[in-house]
Amino acid sequence: MNLLIKSATVVDPNSPFHQQVTDILIENGVITQIGNDITSDAETFDAAGKYLLPGFFDLNCNIGELGYETKEDLHTGTAAAASGGFTGIALMPNTQKPVHSKAEVEYLVNKSKGSLVDVVPLGAISYKREGKDMAEMYDMLQSGARAFTDGNHPVQDAGLMERALLYAHGFNALIFSYPEDTAIAGKAKVNEGEVSTLLGMKGIPSLAEELMVARDLYLAEYTNSPIHFSTISTWRSVDLIRQARLRGLQVTCDVAAHHLVLTDDALTGFDSQYKVKPPLRIRQDIDALIAGLKDGTIDAIVSQHTPHEIEYKDVEFEMAEFGIIGLQTTFILALKAGLPVEVIVEKLSVNPRKIMSMPTISIDVDADANFALVDTDLEWTYTRQNNFSKSYNSPFIGETLKGQVLLTGNNNQLFKL
């Protein structure tokens, strides 16, 4: 990759050029010069009025490989990631078979070698993600897994979660908790509230999430272990985590981008494209999530990219699967939520890598070029034709969106819109 980016505004708190308008010369995938009036024979991109950001890292991405390649494979998944500015993705173990041993981890690591996007498998906490017996976590760590989670299967057994926290802490690994008490949530499909009553549908109460957040905070405190909560969605969850931080607990958390802009009012048309889990909540929850991002309680924003074939979504709402694709729209939804670019960089690039104990990346001379160049004002229409995912289960397809990723660079490779 040889590229001269002219007059970009650098937004990177780890860079000495933070908030400066400057030229950036990249040669063979390495930043060789940063300054004014740089000249080169390399391809030149006029970035006046645009922002150069460190590449994003997604902590919650579902790609069907292994076993569900008809939903998404590594090739299409990494293309969707690059189109959204992501230069790294953490893969949930929600596959068939699950990522519960070193064999699956090694397959994903080896299969993704050479990609623009760094692929980091997350290993399962329990064998087959059944919530009964612990999986081979240490072996998976040795093979390349960075953290452990049962994905969209919340760990219901408190004893198993306690043992997992203790065991992982012994070799400095991190446990991700997807907080849902399934006994409380039951088989409901939407948030419990006015909209569920209007629709005549049984709702999932916020309590289902908050009970599990409270339980796992107590377990983390008891075991003196770090814990990360995936896709929190209610105001009380934010408050519980905020209070835990004040008590000195080692707790981090993230929120899905669509939970920052959509309320359960979107469900009044029974459109299954809005069916997600955790379910869309109410305005009070959205306001609390955005406030939590701004005050540092919430560390990261994730895509929760969950592709599905048409036969799993283009059906009655009750029958449809949960989830939407989100890699291509995460940055855009963060903008739509009213977050400043500086906060978005912190939540999409800086903090996710800290949480995963990965090396810091920076836009600096002699650093590897790992970046996303974005235009926050460009308006465009998201269509099936410019969707890079293999699936197209997104409620935003057909909408005019504001903000776009123009270039993504990493591993001496360049994605150009």
Side-chain angles (χ1 to χ4, degrees), residues 8-249:
T9 301
V10 174
V11 180
D12 177 5
N14 294 315
S15 170
F17 301 93
H18 181 48
Q19 299 289 11
Q20 295 184 29
V21 177
T22 187
D23 301 344
I24 299 95
L25 179 62
I26 300 167
E27 296 178 300
N28 298 318
V30 176
I31 300 173
T32 56
Q33 293 184 58
I34 298 180
N36 296 319
D37 303 318
I38 297 174
T39 58
S40 172
D41 294 332
E43 177 186 357
T44 301
F45 191 97
D46 182 6
K50 301 169 181 61
Y51 296 96
L52 188 69
L53 317 176
F56 307 147
F57 190 94
D58 189 20
L59 291 172
N60 190 321
C61 181
N62 294 279
I63 288 181
E65 202 162 352
L66 309 151
Y68 295 130
E69 288 86 354
T70 53
K71 299 178 185 292
E72 192 87 273
D73 56 41
L74 282 168
H75 176 72
T76 59
T78 52
S83 71
F86 289 97
T87 57
I89 52 176
L91 297 187
M92 286 287 166
N94 310 335
T95 51
Q96 184 56 41
K97 57 184 179 177
V99 182
H100 62 183
S101 74
K102 65 180 183 180
E104 296 84 39
V105 173
E106 290 171 357
Y107 171 85
L108 292 170
V109 169
N110 291 326
K111 183 72 181 290
S112 61
K113 281 182 179 176
S115 172
L116 182 154
V117 178
D118 299 320
V119 173
V120 178
L122 299 176
I125 292 172
S126 66
Y127 178 66
K128 293 186 178 180
R129 299 193 303 133
E130 292 177 344
K132 297 177 182 178
D133 301 311
M134 270 201 302
E136 303 167 358
M137 287 196 283
Y138 184 73
D139 284 351
M140 287 189 280
L141 182 82
Q142 295 293 95
S143 296
R146 285 273 181 170
F148 301 94
T149 172
D150 272 356
N152 59 0
H153 287 184
V155 178
Q156 298 300 299
D157 188 326
L160 175 63
M161 180 59 86
E162 179 204 9
R163 292 190 295 275
L165 286 165
L166 280 170
Y167 184 54
H169 186 41
F171 47 86
N172 296 317
L174 182 62
I175 295 294
F176 281 27
S177 168
Y178 169 51
E180 182 188 72
D181 188 315
T182 56
I184 299 293
K187 296 182 180 180
K189 311 294 182 181
V190 299
N191 178 59
E192 181 183 80
E194 293 181 6
V195 171
S196 65
T197 303
L198 176 66
L199 299 178
M201 300 178 71
K202 187 176 180 182
I204 302 173
S206 300
L207 181 67
E209 176 178 312
E210 295 151 5
L211 275 177
M212 195 65 82
V213 170
R215 185 202 77 173
D216 286 352
L217 285 172
Y218 277 121
L219 290 175
E221 185 173 27
Y222 177 74
T223 59
N224 193 30
S225 301
I227 191 167
H228 178 83
F229 290 98
S230 296
T231 60
I232 64 168
S233 64
T234 77
W235 71 266
R236 198 180 297 275
S237 291
V238 177
D239 190 57
L240 285 166
I241 292 168
R242 182 180 289 116
Q243 296 305 315
R245 283 178 179 272
L246 292 174
R247 299 201 311 273
L249 270 67

Side-chain angles (χ1 to χ4, degrees), residues 284-298:
Q284 180 186 13
D285 295 312
I286 287 183
D287 291 343
L289 292 169
I290 292 173
L293 286 164
K294 290 180 177 179
D295 70 18
T297 301
I298 301 176

